[in-house]
Every structure is written in structure tokens, then in C-alpha cells.
Amino acid sequence: MSTVEPDLAEHVAARDAWARSARGPLALVNAQHVDRPQPVWPVAGQWAPAPGGLTVTAAAADGVVVDGVPVDGTVLVAGDTAVVPSTVAFADGLAGTVHGSTLRVWDPASDAVSRFARIARFAPRPGGWVTAGSYEPWSGREAPGHLTDAAGDPLPVAGTIETTVDDVPVRLTAVRSAPFHGRPRLQLILQDTTSALPEGDPGSSYSMGRFLYLPEPDGAAEVVLDWDRLVLPPCAFSYQYACPVPPEENRLPVALTAGERHPVDEQGAVLH
């Protein structure tokens, strides 16, 4: 499989398609932590914690289907870290997945999916907005402990990237992200001065920040940062997600007028 980055038009189309997809962020209508037997809105069944995932107890009339088999009793729903995670379908067209001890409920016909038109973006600069940077891995040194995900768990810090943005030198902390087509990736969790503007301002971007991904080198190396590839985090689309907070060194004192701004409807109103 090719690891070549898609061109910008393909990237934009793929991001819009991802946002409105059946497992895209607009379709997530509930993410409920299950720490005891309980119902989960808006789906059928009684859900309970279990090793490797959750159990669901339901009658055949409830229409809950796990791994293609209708549930009539109690079955295990394997979580997303299992060798083969379970698939869950409900009678009303909703679907479920288990992430840790959380049941995520997806509605491909959610109100947010119906309202979504596109991801609003800053207009690209002529010739693009690309800066060169120097990547230095943390290998052999203690990684900083201040960067955590939304649950407070430490993120896997990979190293630092030094670059210059609009004549301002910055030293950014990069974390290790999930591979893309089998290739390791770095992730920058960023805010800039556009994040502080009101969302109706044409120069604003999502208040909690944006992400930039780039291939992870094998060691210290020169890297390229294409700021037109700045993307919104999932929490920009749904309240069911929580955002990691950019570390102080990744809060840039410049306006990154590139990449994604907000998800919007046909009238250009911000969805979330």
C-alpha cells in the first residue's frame, strides 16, 4: 500500500467524508463509561464491565446483535484492543463499539450528520505554507510528564521539533501517534492566536486547538511541516469526545491561518 501523502484536494475530500461517515465524529451520540450494570442511552440492553470489554444482557425482542448473532441472554462484547473487536448493531440502525470500559454509540443519521456541510478551512496561501524543522527524539533522556490525554493519562512523547513560523522560532513537543498506512507518525497538539477568537470571526479556529501529523523519522532529522494539513480534533465535532490540552510550548504566539477551522452547516454556522 502506498504511503504517499494525498494532495491537498484529496486530503480535504477525505476529511469531509470521514467527518460524515458512519463511524465519523458526527455520528457519535453517546460515549458512556460503564463501571456497574446499567442501561446506556439510547440503546437497548443492560451493560456491565467485564474483562476484555463489556457484557450486554438483552432479550431477543430487543434487537441487539453482537458479532452477527442476536442476543438472547448475556454475551461478551470484546473491546477495541481485542484481537478481533466485537461489532454491535441495534434494531433502530444504531451501532456500538467498546473502548476500554466505555460503550460508544454511533448514529449514522444523527442530527449533526444531517446538518454537516463541510469543514471550513482557511484559504491556502499561494504556493502553500510549509516550514522546515529539525526533529530531535527523546531517546536517552527523560520525557516530559506534563502532556496528557483528556483522561489524564500521559501521552507517548516522541521528541521535539524546532521550526520558525512567521519569523517566530518555536520548539514544539511531538507525541507518537497511530501509524498511517503502517508508517509511524508524529502528532503536534497545537493552539495559536486564531484559537482565541470568537467562533463567528472569519479568522478563528477551534478554541481547543488543532493537530498536525507528519511522518516520524528514525532519529534526529530535518522534517517538513505543511500547515495546510492542520486538522480539527474529534472533540470539535462532538461533545462525546474530550480534547488533550496543548502544552504551553505548543501554544504559538502567531496566527496559523492555514488548515481546518470549524465544522459548519450549509449557512456556514459552526456546528459545535
Side-chain angles (χ1 to χ4, degrees):
M1 183 178 293
S2 172
T3 60
V4 175
E5 292 286 345
D7 67 25
L8 188 58
E10 291 173 339
H11 168 80
V12 170
R15 288 284 298 173
D16 281 353
W18 163 77
R20 62 166 57 93
S21 68
R23 292 294 184 275
L26 295 167
L28 185 64
V29 294
N30 194 11
Q32 185 167 322
H33 179 67
V34 177
D35 57 4
R36 54 181 171 77
Q38 61 189 270
V40 174
W41 180 89
V43 298
Q46 186 81 352
W47 298 81
L54 300 174
T55 61
V56 59
T57 302
D62 290 327
V64 180
V65 178
V66 175
D67 297 329
V69 179
V71 175
D72 190 9
T74 299
V75 301
L76 175 68
V77 181
D80 57 6
T81 59
V83 175
V84 182
S86 290
T87 59
V88 187
F90 301 98
D92 48 8
L94 277 66
T97 56
V98 173
H99 177 71
S101 297
T102 297
L103 178 64
R104 290 177 169 175
V105 181
W106 309 86
D107 181 1
S110 72
D111 177 67
V113 171
S114 300
R115 292 174 54 212
F116 176 74
R118 67 189 184 282
I119 300 174
R121 301 178 54 87
F122 288 103
R125 287 185 177 185
W129 189 354
V130 176
T131 64
S134 300
Y135 171 66
E136 180 67 32
W138 281 102
S139 177
R141 292 188 288 163
E142 183 181 356
H146 64 286
L147 189 55
T148 62
D149 63 17
D153 297 322
L155 289 167
V157 175
T160 58
I161 294 175
E162 294 186 5
T163 189
T164 299
V165 182
D166 274 356
D167 299 323
V168 177
V170 293
R171 187 171 186 263
L172 308 170
T173 296
V175 299
R176 187 165 289 109
S177 181
F180 178 73
H181 293 330
R183 183 172 59 177
R185 290 196 302 175
L186 299 174
Q187 178 185 6
L188 295 173
I189 302 168
L190 302 160
Q191 283 178 323
D192 63 280
T193 60
T194 69
S195 307
L197 297 174
E199 65 180 26
D201 190 303
S204 71
S205 67
Y206 183 58
S207 61
M208 290 300 294
R210 293 176 288 170
F211 298 161
L212 183 67
Y213 296 94
L214 60 157
E216 180 179 0
D218 292 334
E222 298 302 305
V223 295
V224 173
L225 297 92
D226 185 348
W227 299 105
D228 283 320
R229 306 285 176 144
L230 279 166
V231 298
L232 294 170
C235 60
F237 300 85
S238 171
Y239 288 112
Q240 302 304 322
Y241 293 98
C243 284
V245 177
E248 184 175 354
E249 65 273 18
N250 286 18
R251 301 172 193 175
L252 280 64
V254 297
L256 283 169
T257 53
E260 296 179 355
R261 297 180 54 238
H262 303 282
V264 299
D265 63 16
E266 289 287 356
Q267 286 71 46
V270 177
L271 292 183
H272 169 56

